[in-house]
Amino acid sequence: MSVDTKIPDTPSPVARLSLPWWTRGDTNAFFGLSFNILVNVLTLTTLSIAVVKIPSHDVLGTTLPALGVALVLGNLYYMLLARRLARRENRDTVTALPYGPSVPHMFIVVFVVMLPIFLKTGDPMKAWSAGLAWAFMIGVIVMIGAVVGPFIRRVTPRAAMLGTLAGISITFIAMRPAAQIWDAAWIGLPVLAILLIGFFTDVKLPGNLPIGLVALLVGTAIGWIGGYMSVPEVTKAAHDVAVGLPTLQLHLLWDGLRNLSPLLATAIPLGVYNFTEAMSNVESASAAGDSYNLRSVLLADGCGAIIGSAFGSPFPPAVYIGHPGWKDAGGRTGYSLASGVVIGAMCLLGLFGLLATVLPTPAIVPILLYIGLLIGAQAFQTVPKIHAVAVVAALLPNIAEWATGQMDNVLSAAGTTADKVGMDALGQAGVVYSGLKTLGNGGVLAGLVLGAVVTFVLDKKFISAAIASGIGAILAFVGLIHATEVAWAAAPKVSLGYLFFGLICLAYAFLPSVRTPAAPAPAPIEETPTPDEPTAAEETPEPAASTA
């Protein structure tokens, strides 16, 4: 008798994923993200010097080096996070999250925090210290958000998060670049054409040249040939180039923290805004196929803001809107770090004053319009068709916030304010200013609430809609949404409106037609084929006619 000595089959070990450090798609995404960050750093440099009047040597020698180090470290972290996700899921299509200075925060910290203090005191250093304290508080609130953020993400519908993100992207990311493009359309539109064809279609340039680089070179060439740029300005800026190393500015931060209480009115809602925006960005990346751990993202963003404020930067860096755009462009794990290193080096070398005179703005900003278009489209493409209504609802508060901000800027330029002009006069001109202002205050959080409420209503989850509306009532009552400041009974009438909305939803929840599920439709009767009739599985197509 023979004994079977055959060894049972054992599963072969899974081969370790070979993950490249750089791909051809990383080149495209690198140029796109680099120009995106470049535009933002140029903007915050100009705002700091021209609006708040911080001395240029302090901006170029302190603020930008602090930001530069944050860009390198933050993008290194997100590259490693992407590679870890790629190995865990055993796929090489993971795209790193983009990271840089937040666009809405740039304008908010300048015009809402630093400029009023500068106008009141005439001292740009006091304004700068207030900005640092504000950024520090933003970081603290974001890190607190890391505790509750994952729970909020689980209970908030995707339509609400992506709709809110689309509202930010369309207004604060895309509208200003669109205006700058059409202000010099002969430069901006050719660049936009190259980006749209290169990123939204499968048409490749000869030699598969990087789309972003070609677009920038074409726009820059048109700008210089057409006389849009000035040689004397370049020469002057070249003399101002100076290397700067990050140094601790704890004395400025401490001065700001000693007068922190007036800043809390904006720091608290903007901190909440920051972690809700990060939450929406992580959801956007998940919709594109890359599911990152939200807590890891929020902790990194919070640390970045705190460390940056200690070194003199009032501009909190954050995960960017736009991950799906760089994924579509072919970016994987290397493009983000490369962008951070290049822009960080420019910050340390003091090159941004020079770059502002060499590169035409209309040749750079179309990349931001591309991101705005992509994120706006994603909000509608990745949710059920019925939830499109909720996406539009989530857009509205951000559109209102952007519109009233534009009106306030116009009135300020004219030396007046909406209160001085009067609501009656504005109403006679067809402007519902007070309503837009109320709708837009706390736009990101308000968009999440409104989008969630509408999503639950569309799904006939009326009790969930009532709960979401009750949360909206609480947030409005304490001033986190629909109010100009954080205070007790900040917007009582809006709070009451949310309560009434919730009561209506509760009433509908107990209607007999809602509580009793509809009877299922009768199943179709299957007819048994007669012996002379073949079944579908038995049917074979007739042979095609011969073409011989």
Side-chain angles (χ1 to χ4, degrees):
M1 183 177 69
S2 62
V3 178
D4 187 3
T5 58
K6 183 179 179 182
I7 300 174
D9 292 337
T10 57
S12 58
V14 178
R16 181 177 173 83
L17 177 67
S18 177
L19 197 61
W21 290 97
W22 194 262
T23 67
R24 185 182 295 272
D26 277 316
T27 305
N28 260 333
F30 160 73
F31 283 108
L33 178 61
S34 295
F35 299 148
N36 188 345
I37 301 175
L38 182 69
V39 172
N40 295 341
V41 179
L42 284 172
T43 302
L44 68 86
T45 302
T46 303
L47 291 174
S48 299
I49 296 172
V51 176
V52 189
K53 308 299 181 184
I54 300 174
S56 59
H57 63 85
D58 284 324
V59 175
L60 299 176
T62 300
T63 299
L64 293 193
L67 184 59
V69 172
L71 289 175
V72 174
L73 295 179
N75 281 293
L76 172 63
Y77 172 81
Y78 285 114
M79 182 197 72
L80 296 176
L81 205 64
R83 295 181 73 84
R84 187 176 72 177
L85 177 63
R87 295 198 185 283
R88 186 170 67 244
E89 298 186 354
N90 198 38
R91 59 187 179 91
D92 60 3
T93 57
V94 173
T95 298
L97 292 166
Y99 180 81
S102 169
V103 174
H105 283 71
M106 292 189 321
F107 292 98
I108 291 166
V109 73
V110 168
F111 290 104
V112 178
V113 177
M114 294 197 289
L115 181 59
I117 293 176
F118 170 69
L119 294 176
K120 182 179 179 180
T121 64
D123 186 351
M125 304 307 287
K126 286 188 179 298
W128 186 12
S129 67
L132 297 181
W134 181 84
F136 179 88
M137 281 303 303
I138 291 291
V140 171
I141 295 168
V142 169
M143 294 186 75
I144 295 172
V147 178
V148 299
F151 170 75
I152 296 174
R153 184 187 175 200
R154 280 198 304 271
V155 300
T156 305
R158 173 171 284 189
M161 288 191 284
L162 296 187
T164 299
L165 198 61
I168 301 168
S169 188
I170 291 169
T171 53
F172 293 101
I173 306 296
M175 285 303 296
R176 181 180 176 87
Q180 291 171 312
I181 291 170
W182 265 263
D183 195 40
W186 52 285
I187 299 174
L189 286 179
V191 175
L192 183 61
I194 295 172
L195 294 175
L196 293 179
I197 295 170
F199 288 145
F200 283 125
T201 75
D202 59 357
V203 178
K204 305 296 182 185
L205 290 172
N208 204 15
L209 292 170
I211 301 300
L213 177 61
V214 172
L216 179 68
L217 292 177
V218 168
T220 301
I222 294 173
W224 277 99
I225 293 170
Y228 188 84
M229 310 303 289
S230 167
V231 174
E233 289 183 4
V234 176
T235 305
K236 180 178 180 300
H239 289 297
D240 295 333
V241 172
V243 176
L245 296 175
T247 55
L248 285 171
Q249 303 294 322
L250 296 179
H251 63 289
L252 280 174
L253 176 58
W254 179 246
D255 286 343
L257 290 174
R258 286 191 300 181
N259 299 295
L260 183 63
S261 55
L263 304 176
L264 291 178
T266 55
I268 292 175
L270 262 296
V272 174
Y273 159 90
N274 222 32
F275 89 73
T276 50
E277 182 189 29
M279 183 173 66
S280 298
N281 287 337
V282 170
E283 185 65 27
S284 176
S286 176
D290 296 336
S291 297
Y292 285 98
N293 181 277
L294 177 60
R295 186 168 285 117
S296 299
V297 171
L298 291 172
L299 288 173
D301 281 5
C303 285
I306 291 172
I307 295 171
S309 66
F311 280 93
S313 173
F315 302 102
V319 164
Y320 266 5
I321 294 173
H323 167 279
W326 309 130
K327 192 173 187 69
D328 284 353
R332 294 299 176 251
T333 65
Y335 82 102
S336 182
L337 176 60
S339 301
V341 169
V342 169
I343 303 300
M346 292 179 179
C347 289
L348 294 170
L349 296 174
L351 294 177
F352 275 91
L354 178 62
L355 288 172
T357 63
V358 173
L359 302 176
T361 299
I364 307 174
V365 294
I367 195 70
L368 297 179
L369 181 55
Y370 155 71
I371 291 298
L373 294 173
L374 190 83
I375 299 300
Q378 184 201 45
F380 291 94
Q381 292 168 345
T382 59
V383 301
K385 188 175 293 186
I386 191 175
H387 290 171
V389 176
V391 171
V392 176
L395 289 171
L396 296 179
N398 288 288
I399 294 173
E401 185 177 20
W402 175 81
T404 52
Q406 293 293 301
M407 285 187 270
D408 288 340
N409 291 342
V410 170
L411 293 169
S412 177
T416 186
T417 64
D419 290 334
K420 291 179 180 178
V421 173
M423 297 302 118
D424 290 340
L426 290 171
Q428 290 171 4
V431 179
V432 190
Y433 180 88
S434 61
L436 282 174
K437 190 76 172 177
T438 300
L439 173 61
N441 282 325
V444 174
L445 203 51
L448 280 177
V449 171
L450 193 56
V453 168
V454 175
T455 301
F456 291 136
V457 167
L458 295 172
D459 290 340
K460 293 187 283 191
K461 298 178 179 178
F462 297 121
I463 293 179
S464 296
I467 293 171
S469 191
I471 292 172
I474 295 170
L475 294 175
F477 194 79
V478 299
L480 286 174
I481 60 175
H482 306 308
T484 57
E485 61 179 356
V486 176
W488 190 253
K493 293 181 180 179
V494 178
S495 181
L496 188 61
Y498 275 112
L499 284 176
F500 287 161
F501 189 106
L503 290 173
I504 296 292
C505 291
L506 278 178
Y508 269 91
F510 292 98
L511 286 178
S513 59
V514 174
R515 298 178 66 186
T516 304
I525 300 174
E526 297 184 3
E527 296 183 1
T528 304
T530 63
D532 296 334
E533 295 176 346
T535 63
E538 295 171 341
E539 289 181 346
T540 56
E542 294 183 6
S546 173
T547 57

